[in-house]
Amino acid sequence: MHIGILTGGGDAPGLNAVIRGVTIRALKGGHRVTGFLRGWKGAVEGTSVSLDEETVRDIHIEGGTILLSSRTNPFNIENGLERIRETLENASIDCLMAVGGEDTLGVAQKLAAEGLTVIGVPKTIDNDLSATDYTFGFDTAINLVMSALDKLHTTARSHERVMVVEIMGRHAGWMALHGGMAGGAHIILLPEEEFDTDEVCALLEKRYAEGHRYAIVAVAEGATDPKLARHIMHSAATDAFGHVQLGTGIGVGEVLKNEIADRTDLETRHVVLGHVQRGGSPTAFDRVLGTRLGVKAVEMAEAGESGMMAALRGTEVVAVDLAEAVGTLKTVPHEQYETAKLFFG
Ligand code: F6P
């Protein structure tokens, strides 16, 4: 069998572990593997490299993706579908593996519906994909957030300041929630739960009055106080899948910092963690998860399971329907936020 693989959307630590997992398992099964470059762009344009033991040697210890990534949406490109079909036919690809988040897998699902043989592998630091318990990249990212908060505690305490920390997560607040809980944030704000800046200020003032004269506020980039929304100045640009590009203008972190400074006497600073959250070497958890998903994807290809995705369910890696993964985003349930709130203030 000839297997194709591509990595699309925002990169995530663990992608190289998947590429290595797919390649080694495929070679051991007597198959060959071609990697398409820059996500769906490579499948449309036919740009590829062949993958062997040497190309993937030890790459699981590195972040990013050796296949490069882009947010290309083939359905926004003239004859995108036909061009992908042509690429796959010319290269005699029997099965294409698409490693990505909601957008990349949404395309994979559409292609499978068009009769192409496609298997999905879930990826996103945001952990917001349904049908899988965790996505690789998330663990590495929240460890980075935790370390950043750990460091911010000491400087915030020394200067008796409020530090507002903006964390990635446009539609789901998993990173702010888990990074914030692990890093001891005193307030956590998520896209799933609208907040009220006056309540945030009151909580901070109470904390200072009780003698704890510093605070960390962890805010997901998509969190909103409806009364403040007009101050948030994201670029008008959207990506190929129509998502607003957060982090390209004045984000919620800076707006909230300004409001706290205006409404209270508390000295306040803000930090945007930004793309460092996506970079660097994956944690052991993400390396192992990526490897297991890659191996499973080849087993699924051998079993002829098109339109399916390898997923983590409990401790098992299983095949699930791609439709289950791309239907709705997995957001933070209210009860989990309530648990985090027990530690606010
Ligand atoms: O990978 C998902 C994500 O990290 C979001 O949390 C974030 O808003 C977005 O990617 C940033 O994407 P870009 O790399 O296009 O700036």
Side-chain angles (χ1 to χ4, degrees):
M1 187 166 37
H2 188 184
I3 293 172
I5 177 170
L6 59 83
T7 55
D11 68 335
L15 280 168
N16 283 329
V18 178
I19 297 166
R20 175 174 170 267
V22 165
T23 305
I24 298 298
R25 172 61 182 80
L27 294 175
K28 295 209 163 154
H31 313 300
R32 62 194 179 103
V33 187
T34 290
F36 290 96
L37 301 175
R38 302 178 187 88
W40 292 114
K41 191 170 174 18
V44 170
E45 296 175 356
T47 36
S48 63
V49 288
S50 104
L51 296 174
D52 57 23
E53 240 174 271
E54 272 322 301
T55 11
V56 302
R57 189 174 300 282
D58 295 335
I59 60 169
H60 64 300
I61 66 179
E62 285 168 26
T65 161
I66 63 162
L67 294 178
L68 311 177
S69 194
S70 74
R71 295 194 187 273
T72 304
N73 182 353
F75 290 98
N76 282 351
I77 295 175
E78 211 181 323
N79 302 324
L81 170 62
E82 291 69 29
R83 290 175 70 185
I84 291 178
R85 210 189 278 280
E86 227 174 81
T87 300
L88 300 183
E89 270 171 23
N90 290 344
S92 317
I93 299 291
D94 300 298
C95 177
L96 179 64
M97 286 170 188
V99 191
E102 220 226 343
D103 298 328
T104 304
L105 296 179
V107 171
Q109 191 207 3
K110 283 191 199 159
L111 295 182
E114 293 288 341
L116 300 183
T117 306
V118 188
I119 287 175
V121 176
K123 162 250 54 162
T124 164
I125 62 164
D126 297 330
N127 197 41
D128 57 1
L129 257 182
S130 295
T132 187
D133 289 354
Y134 283 100
T135 49
F136 64 81
F138 175 63
D139 187 60
T140 308
I142 57 170
N143 273 287
L144 182 291
V145 173
M146 179 185 73
S147 306
L149 296 196
D150 287 352
K151 290 179 202 290
L152 290 170
H153 275 276
T154 60
T155 175
R157 194 185 296 125
S158 303
H159 289 270
E160 300 179 285
R161 278 177 179 159
V162 176
M163 301 294 303
V164 177
V165 188
E166 187 178 301
I167 297 166
M168 276 185 172
R170 290 182 278 198
H171 310 292
W174 292 106
M175 284 180 56
L177 182 78
H178 284 214
M181 285 175 82
H186 306 106
I187 298 177
I188 301 173
L189 305 170
L190 310 180
E192 292 86 344
E193 308 270 343
E194 284 183 348
F195 67 91
D196 179 329
T197 303
D198 284 332
E199 281 173 20
V200 170
C201 291
L203 203 55
L204 290 171
E205 282 176 324
K206 179 166 173 285
R207 179 175 157 82
Y208 272 66
E210 286 168 354
H212 312 293
R213 299 186 51 80
Y214 82 99
I216 309 280
V217 179
V219 57
E221 61 185 346
T224 44
D225 171 345
K227 283 175 266 159
L228 285 187
R230 70 198 156 86
H231 298 294
I232 299 174
M233 308 281 288
H234 298 304
S235 126
T238 52
D239 64 25
F241 289 90
H243 302 300
V244 64
Q245 292 182 327
L246 304 190
T248 48
I250 300 173
V252 63
E254 187 169 356
V255 169
L256 184 57
K257 184 265 294 183
N258 291 337
E259 292 299 319
I260 293 170
D262 282 356
R263 298 180 198 197
T264 70
D265 289 331
L266 309 178
E267 195 182 346
T268 307
R269 296 284 188 276
H270 83 283
V271 177
V272 179
L273 293 183
H275 291 79
V276 292
Q277 294 164 101
R278 286 219 309 246
S281 179
T283 57
F285 181 87
D286 285 337
R287 294 180 197 191
V288 174
L289 178 56
T291 303
R292 292 181 70 201
L293 291 169
V295 168
K296 178 69 181 177
V298 178
E299 289 169 5
M300 289 162 63
E302 287 177 341
E305 294 178 301
S306 184
M308 306 287 280
M309 178 183 91
L312 182 70
R313 290 278 174 87
T315 57
E316 300 300 312
V317 173
V318 298
V320 299
D321 210 308
L322 262 174
E324 255 189 79
V326 298
T328 40
L329 275 188
K330 182 177 72 186
T331 51
V332 175
H334 183 67
E335 312 76 65
Q336 284 205 38
Y337 189 56
E338 287 298 319
T339 303
K341 278 170 81 175
L342 293 173
F343 302 89
F344 281 15

